[in-house]
Amino acid sequence: MEPNATIIVQTLAFIAFVWFTMKFVWPLLETAISERQKKIAEGLAASEKGVHDLELAKESASNTLKEAKAKAAELIDQAKKRHSEIVDSAKDDAREEADKILRGARAEIEQEMTRAREQLRAQLATLAVAGAEKILERNIDAAAQNDIVEKLVAEL
Amino acid sequence: MSAESSSGYIKHHLQNLQVCSTDQGWVWNTMENMECQGNFWTFNVDTVFFSVLLGVLFLWLFRSVAKKATQGVPGKWQALVEIVYDFVESNVKDTFHGKSNLIAPLGMAIFVWVFLMNTMDLIPVDWLPGAAALIGIDYLKVVPTTDVNATFAMSLSVFILIIFFSIKIKGIGGFTKELTLNPFNHWIAIPFNFILEGVALLAKPVSLSLRLFGNMYAGELIFILIALMYAGTFDGFGGAALGIFGAILHFIWAVFHILVIALQAFIFMMLTIVYLSLAHEDH
């Protein structure tokens, strides 16, 4: 209990501990912690920047989306237009083609008709001559009556 | 134990393990040999042993943590060390406005060392002395701060630092003026001022060490008294009841003592910082 020489040892130990703390503990902690603080500050700044970047990105994304939508709408419009154009032109083509076919058919029919008419005319001439021969029951000079028959046929 | 009287038990617990220089050379104190009493050249081996052990533990722990300190997520030990660092640093920053490489580490060394030494008080009073008795050591006081030598060693070192910084910052003239022309700035009042300021100056180390010593000594004494209740000194039903009551009291006092341990360590550190910042202030 009473003071004795222990105090000398204790003082030396105390001085040694304080010295050691001062030299080998405190500075290490100081650097470590100030570096940590710096890092945390940087981290906070980075996260703030990240939030800002995120906002920017969101904005640009929504812009891109809007543009894409507009483009898509435009494309759809164009496609619709193109579609109706194609349909129209196809209709036109078809109509033209139909007309052409119709016209060809008509011409063919016409030709067919004239040919038939020619044949008929030719046959009718002989038939008329034969009929007339039978009616007259005599041999009429075919050449002398031919002009009459020709006239008849032309009237057909 | 039961063979001892209560006062013998208390006295035994308050006796340091000592070695002293006598005419016959170095002598250990034992139950039979009390020669060390009153001899200045006595060393309290237990005080030195435990305080140095705890001091080395503190330095080893803090240095190894500081060396391995990562910038990333800290481990639990690192977090603890950082909390202590922050605690000491913020207290120093609040109080001391100069620049000093000494005060903060000094504060940390005092705080942690005193805290660890005080914490020894929470070990039940018979454990370590009982273990020591088994290997033939008669006395063992495990709480270094219940020894005035340990507390005065710190407070006198602080006192020397106070005087050193006072003279360094204010010069011998300034320091002398502070001691003689305060609080009454007149030459007639110089002796009066000197006595007043001298007492105030000397009271610093004395109050610093006796506050810590008194608190820890009283706390230790109460632990010893409580331990007496269940130490088997009393027999029968009354003894058992007293033992249970003692255990409850021990628990309550230990919980309360946790506060005292931390508080006394904090006060010692804080007053050291305050005294040293006062020494740095130039009027």
Side-chain angles (χ1 to χ4, degrees):
Chain A
M1 251 272 303
E2 71 267 28
N4 54 36
T6 312
I7 196 166
I8 300 167
V9 183
Q10 288 296 112
T11 307
L12 292 177
F14 179 61
I15 291 169
F17 290 158
V18 171
W19 172 80
F20 191 90
T21 311
M22 203 169 93
K23 283 277 177 239
F24 302 112
V25 177
W26 190 266
L28 278 180
L29 285 174
E30 205 170 24
T31 22
I33 286 177
S34 61
E35 264 170 45
R36 153 81 57 75
Q37 280 171 337
K38 214 175 94 190
K39 206 179 173 194
I40 289 175
E42 278 168 7
L44 285 176
S47 82
E48 219 158 273
K49 193 173 165 282
V51 169
H52 185 66
D53 284 355
L54 182 67
E55 255 167 48
L56 285 182
K58 268 186 187 162
E59 213 170 280
S60 87
S62 78
N63 279 346
T64 312
L65 202 66
K66 245 186 250 166
E67 265 170 41
K69 270 183 185 165
K71 214 169 215 175
E74 202 181 302
L75 276 176
I76 288 171
D77 273 356
Q78 273 180 0
K80 273 182 183 162
K81 221 159 126 197
R82 185 95 187 91
H83 169 249
S84 62
E85 272 173 14
I86 289 169
V87 168
D88 282 352
S89 81
K91 269 183 191 161
D92 287 349
D93 284 356
R95 207 173 287 137
E96 234 165 75
E97 194 71 17
D99 278 354
K100 221 199 238 168
I101 291 167
L102 209 59
R103 268 199 307 274
R106 276 203 187 120
E108 224 165 277
I109 290 168
E110 203 87 13
Q111 263 178 7
E112 238 10 79
M113 254 160 67
T114 31
R115 209 182 317 130
R117 217 176 265 149
E118 292 297 323
Q119 272 180 356
L120 265 174
R121 211 176 271 157
Q123 281 177 5
L124 203 63
T126 37
L127 209 62
V129 173
E133 265 176 11
K134 277 208 176 125
I135 294 162
L136 295 177
E137 288 203 320
R138 54 182 171 111
N139 206 0
I140 306 161
D141 183 12
Q145 267 80 43
N146 208 34
D147 62 318
I148 303 167
V149 176
E150 283 285 316
K151 234 180 246 169
L152 216 71
V153 170
E155 270 166 29
L156 270 172
Chain B
M1 196 79 61
S2 51
E4 283 180 49
S5 65
S6 296
S7 74
Y9 177 79
I10 296 170
K11 266 188 192 157
H12 177 258
H13 268 287
L14 294 178
Q15 176 62 49
N16 284 105
L17 172 66
Q18 296 174 319
V19 61
C20 53
S21 162
T22 62
D23 297 334
Q24 292 93 46
W26 292 97
V27 182
W28 291 87
N29 68 330
T30 57
M31 300 260 196
E32 295 80 34
N33 174 19
M34 281 300 186
E35 263 187 273
C36 290
Q37 264 167 356
N39 182 346
F40 177 77
W41 288 105
T42 299
F43 294 99
N44 297 343
V45 178
D46 44 7
T47 300
V48 173
F49 175 74
F50 284 111
S51 62
V52 170
L53 183 75
L54 293 168
V56 169
L57 176 74
F58 149 61
L59 293 175
W60 170 77
L61 177 69
F62 274 55
R63 175 154 170 85
S64 62
V65 167
K67 269 204 294 197
K68 279 186 299 193
T70 64
Q71 310 306 316
V73 180
K76 291 215 162 61
W77 283 111
Q78 196 185 333
L80 175 77
V81 171
E82 282 176 10
I83 288 169
V84 173
Y85 173 91
D86 260 4
F87 171 71
V88 174
E89 210 214 7
S90 65
N91 276 315
V92 171
K93 258 189 190 155
D94 287 346
T95 313
F96 179 73
H97 299 296
K99 196 175 152 40
S100 168
N101 289 330
L102 172 67
I103 289 184
L106 175 71
M108 181 188 249
I110 287 176
F111 178 73
V112 182
W113 197 32
V114 172
F115 182 85
L116 288 175
M117 289 193 287
N118 289 352
T119 308
M120 296 298 284
D121 216 358
L122 290 177
I123 298 172
V125 287
D126 280 319
W127 281 14
L128 294 177
L134 288 180
I135 56 167
I137 296 170
D138 279 348
Y139 297 108
L140 195 70
K141 239 175 114 185
V142 297
V143 190
T145 42
T146 57
D147 184 347
V148 278
N149 291 300
T151 61
F152 264 106
M154 285 186 290
S155 73
L156 288 178
S157 307
V158 171
F159 181 64
I160 290 166
L161 282 176
I162 292 173
I163 294 181
F164 172 76
F165 281 118
S166 293
I167 292 173
K168 190 185 166 200
I169 303 293
K170 299 157 191 169
I172 290 180
F175 187 43
T176 316
K177 260 188 210 161
E178 195 181 83
L179 287 177
T180 50
L181 296 176
N182 242 344
F184 305 110
N185 194 358
H186 193 280
W187 62 269
I188 285 180
I190 283 177
F192 177 72
N193 286 340
F194 186 70
I195 291 168
L196 210 63
E197 287 291 314
V199 167
L201 186 67
L202 290 175
K204 283 173 183 175
V206 175
S207 68
L208 203 55
S209 63
L210 287 186
R211 178 184 303 107
L212 178 61
F213 164 73
N215 270 284
M216 298 322 294
Y217 190 79
E220 174 83 343
L221 200 57
I222 287 172
F223 273 124
I224 293 168
L225 291 175
I226 291 170
L228 256 184
M229 284 182 152
Y230 51 79
T233 327
F234 308 99
D235 297 320
F237 176 75
L242 209 58
I244 293 167
F245 182 60
I248 296 168
L249 272 185
H250 183 106
F251 174 75
I252 294 172
W253 183 243
V255 170
F256 176 69
H257 216 62
I258 293 171
L259 176 72
V260 175
I261 285 165
L263 192 67
Q264 287 305 320
F266 170 67
I267 289 173
F268 205 112
M269 176 195 78
M270 207 57 220
L271 285 180
T272 301
I273 297 168
V274 169
Y275 290 157
L276 288 181
S277 62
L278 282 177
H280 276 75
E281 260 165 34
D282 211 345
H283 295 289

